[in-house]
Structure formats: structure tokens, C-alpha cells
Amino acid sequence: MKPENPWTTEQLFPETLAFLDALILEINRAEKSIDIEMYIFQYDYTGKKIIQSLQAAAGRGVQIRVLVDAVGSASFSNILAKELLRKGIEFRTYHSFTGGKILSFFRVVNRRNHRKSWIIDSKMAFISSANVMDSNWKEVGVSVAGGEISLLIEAFQQAWVQKKAFKPGINIKKLFSRIKENRVRHTLRLNNSLVLRFGNYRDFLRRTKRAQSRIWFGNAYFVPRYGLVRAMVSSARRGVDVRLLLSHRSDVFFMPWLATTYYYTLLKAGVKIYEYLPAFYHAKIRVVDDWMIVGSTNLNHRSLLHDLEVDVQLTHPESCRALLIDMNADFSKSNLVKLDDLRKISIFQKLAARFVLLFRNWL
């Protein structure tokens, strides 16, 4: 089945350096505008290199807007503000805590902008799992043009003015009726409304339950809803090739511990679990049969309930083939977890993970 609204151009980047090189090339070619959303934007070698290209673009009259998350970029937001504004680049933080209003603080503290997107001249977009920072993390990104770029532009504008995506007093019955009636088909997967959030999840869950040949998920933070675990278990028992590619180590030390709490149920059902060894696996990939998604969304409660995310459905056969080749290469660099390995987990780690899971809705 062909995807709706396929991209006119599409290129997959399984390596961060190639992604950054292509991105900087397009920044240098930009003629009118560049809109950037980033969770972490560090003022390091990578950040300075990108700022240098942005400065050159601003110098030739390109309108540039940079939106970073107030939590993700907390350590560098003040430096970025001074540096970018001095160079004629518009800069804002998403859901900052300034203003002294206690109620406003509690309203926004858990709602973050986790998107990593770059819109060039309102016609081309780069979307990735990669933040702007020096790292050797495993990331996957994509560049696309045409298709549904206009939806990303609208989502950026909503975040830029920080318009409320969640309105109080919403009719829950009406909401779920709309979710049920409007099956999500977008090749650009956004979650800047409740209808999109739960519509995306419902569509993803349905695909997982009905998978025929393969379910391959690559993710940094695996703290899923139990409905997804049940769907993976059910499909594995039907003979579907279900694989989970996670990181052996993480930037958040307890996240791999949380993932192991799901291992026994998944392994017993025949799910293959791989732990990536060379570096922190930060990519976000979902493959169900021939449906393939890459972007910023984790398989956790934060991505579903709290954070702004964006993902891209691959529509070109060459990109899909490249993604499968890259995943197979990553499987070969990973440790295949066995049931016997679970006996090596310490009692302390098990108890600590169970305690942290009490707060899963915030993870």
C-alpha cells in the first residue's frame, strides 16, 4: 500500500556527520528563511559550527528563528540568546520558567519541546533524533521536501508563539470520537494536539497488532504503555519477527534498568532484544512490515503524554532499504539478550527500577 502524500525528495542519514554536512550545505543555500526547533542546543564545537553558518545566512538577509527547550538547553540558553541575537537571529526558549508565576510554572514544567527539526525556505525539512551537541551517539535523521511540509511549518509557528495545544474544559467523549473517526494517515507525524497524540498512538498500536512479517523498534528510552507490550507479545506468538534494539548504556543511568523490567515478558513470547554496544543508541525508529518511521519520538510516556515530537514516514524504497540495512548492521553490533541474562541483574537494580516505574507517567 502506497503512503499518502509521498515526499518529492527524501534522503535517509544513518550517520550524524553526514546529516550535519547535508544540513549545513542547505543552510548555506537558504534564500528566505530557516526555522529551527531543538531540545538540546549546546554552545560547543558542533553548535558553534552551525551558528557560523546561520550567521552567514542572516548576513545575506535570510530570516532565522531558533526555538530551544528551556529544560533541554538550560545550561546554554543564556549564551545562545546573547550570541544569536547579536548576530541578527531571532531566539526564544520554549516554556521557560521566568515571570514568577507559580501556577504557570506547574502548568508548563512537564511539557517540553522534544522536536529536532530544521525548515529551510518553507520547502525542505531535516528531522532527526540528534540534538545540536558534540557526541558519538547513534542517531538517524532524514531530509524531505514537498509532501506535508506545510504541517510542520504550522506546528513550528504554534510552538514559536507558545499557543496552548491543550485547552481546558475539553469534551473527552467528543475527543475520542474524533480520534476514532479520523484515522491518522500523515507521512509527517506530529502530536501538537490531543487528537493527534492519541490518534497517532492508536494507529501505531493497530499496526503493531496486525503486523504480518516484522516489527523492529529502535529506541533510546523504552518505558512503554502496557498496551504496546501486549501487542508485541501477541504478534511474536503469531510468528512475526519482533525485534527491539535498545542501548546498553544511557545518558540517564536508570533508563536501561527500567527497560529490563519488560524483558522477561517479551523474551518469553519470542521477542528478540538487542542492546547496542558501541555507543549510546539514541535513534528513534519504528518498522512494522513496510511502514517505517524515524524522528524524535521515544517509546515512553513522555513522548505520548507530554513532549512535542515529530516523526517522518519514509515513502521512497531506497530510503526504506537503507534503513533496514542500517538496522541489521546495528543488530550485529549488539548483544542479543537471553533469559539467563536476567538472573545476573542485581536485586538492588530490580528494586530501584520498580520504584522508579511508579513515576512512569513522567518518564
Side-chain angles (χ1 to χ4, degrees):
M1 182 179 177
K2 292 184 178 180
E4 296 184 9
N5 304 307
W7 306 108
T8 54
T9 64
E10 172 186 302
Q11 184 174 358
L12 184 77
F13 297 95
E15 300 295 335
T16 304
L17 289 179
F19 178 84
L20 289 175
D21 287 345
L23 172 62
I24 290 173
L25 179 63
E26 292 304 325
I27 290 174
N28 294 339
R29 290 174 175 173
E31 298 176 349
K32 297 179 181 179
S33 64
I34 301 173
D35 291 331
I36 302 165
E37 284 180 282
M38 196 56 51
Y39 182 64
I40 300 174
F41 198 129
Q42 292 189 359
Y43 193 65
D44 51 18
Y45 175 80
T46 302
K48 291 175 182 177
K49 185 177 180 180
I50 289 174
I51 289 172
Q52 186 177 16
S53 293
L54 293 175
Q55 180 186 12
R60 61 179 186 269
V62 177
Q63 181 188 13
I64 303 173
R65 297 185 291 179
V66 178
L67 179 65
V68 303
D69 187 78
V71 170
S73 298
S75 301
F76 294 91
S77 58
N78 289 334
I79 299 173
L80 284 172
K82 292 177 182 178
E83 188 70 13
L84 295 176
L85 292 171
R86 184 172 63 84
K87 294 173 179 176
I89 297 170
E90 294 184 73
F91 175 84
R92 292 182 184 178
T93 56
Y94 184 80
H95 282 178
S96 62
F97 309 131
T98 57
K101 296 181 179 179
I102 300 299
L103 291 179
S104 295
F105 171 83
F106 287 108
R107 179 176 61 82
V108 303
V109 66
N110 205 36
R111 293 179 181 169
R112 311 317 320 161
N113 189 338
H114 195 245
R115 296 196 289 238
K116 293 96 175 172
S117 70
W118 311 72
I119 309 171
I120 313 293
D121 287 336
S122 298
K123 62 183 181 181
M124 183 179 193
F126 284 77
I127 293 169
S128 174
S129 60
N131 294 289
V132 176
M133 59 189 293
D134 295 341
S135 76
N136 65 341
W137 295 358
K138 168 63 182 183
E139 312 278 10
V140 173
V142 64
S143 68
V144 291
E148 296 171 336
I149 293 292
S150 61
L151 296 176
L152 185 60
I153 296 169
E154 291 174 11
F156 174 87
Q157 184 60 28
Q158 184 186 71
W160 181 255
V161 301
Q162 303 195 36
K163 177 182 176 183
K164 291 181 182 179
F166 307 97
K167 297 180 180 179
I170 192 165
N171 187 314
I172 298 298
K173 186 176 181 181
K174 183 179 180 181
L175 168 67
F176 282 95
S177 176
R178 288 172 63 193
I179 292 171
K180 188 174 181 179
E181 292 171 4
N182 296 285
R183 186 173 293 173
V184 177
R185 296 191 176 94
H186 294 317
T187 46
L188 185 74
R189 314 279 286 199
L190 290 156
N191 69 343
N192 52 316
S193 73
L194 283 175
V195 170
L196 286 174
R197 282 179 185 270
F198 289 97
N200 285 344
Y201 180 71
R202 183 175 179 272
D203 177 69
F204 174 46
L205 200 60
R206 178 182 59 84
R207 291 176 185 275
T208 305
K209 290 177 179 178
R210 298 179 182 179
Q212 297 299 310
S213 58
R214 66 176 162 234
I215 297 171
W216 293 2
F217 296 153
N219 221 254
Y221 309 115
F222 187 70
V223 191
R225 294 174 72 88
Y226 289 114
L228 178 59
V229 174
R230 287 193 293 269
M232 294 172 67
V233 165
S234 175
S235 293
R237 287 174 175 165
R238 289 191 290 106
V240 177
D241 178 15
V242 184
R243 304 187 193 184
L244 188 58
L245 179 57
L246 304 174
S247 192
H248 180 67
R249 59 184 182 272
S250 175
D251 62 329
V252 182
F253 76 91
F254 58 78
M255 293 305 288
W257 297 3
L258 300 184
T260 61
T261 62
Y262 301 91
Y263 280 11
Y264 181 80
T265 300
L266 294 169
L267 291 171
K268 285 285 286 184
V271 176
K272 295 180 179 136
I273 301 175
Y274 297 82
E275 291 185 342
Y276 189 72
L277 298 174
F280 175 33
Y281 188 91
H282 193 246
K284 296 91 166 65
I285 301 168
R286 284 170 283 169
V287 174
V288 181
D289 297 332
D290 294 326
W291 180 79
M292 303 184 190
I293 295 284
V294 299
S296 68
T297 301
N298 286 301
L299 295 176
N300 62 355
H301 291 68
R302 287 212 61 82
S303 286
L304 174 64
L305 300 173
H306 307 298
D307 296 343
L308 291 180
E309 307 283 6
V310 59
D311 301 292
V312 170
Q313 180 184 350
L314 302 181
T315 65
H316 292 204
E318 57 271 25
S319 299
C320 295
R321 283 194 295 269
L323 182 63
L324 295 179
I325 290 170
D326 184 63
M327 290 196 78
N328 273 310
D330 288 341
F331 289 140
S332 69
K333 301 172 187 175
S334 304
N335 174 55
L336 180 61
V337 180
K338 304 290 187 182
L339 275 171
D340 287 344
D341 295 331
L342 303 186
R343 297 193 182 98
K344 301 173 186 177
I345 299 174
S346 68
I347 295 296
F348 171 77
Q349 179 178 322
K350 290 178 181 179
L351 291 176
R354 290 293 177 183
F355 174 75
V356 177
L357 273 179
L358 296 175
F359 308 94
R360 65 173 64 86
N361 283 345
W362 290 272
L363 299 174

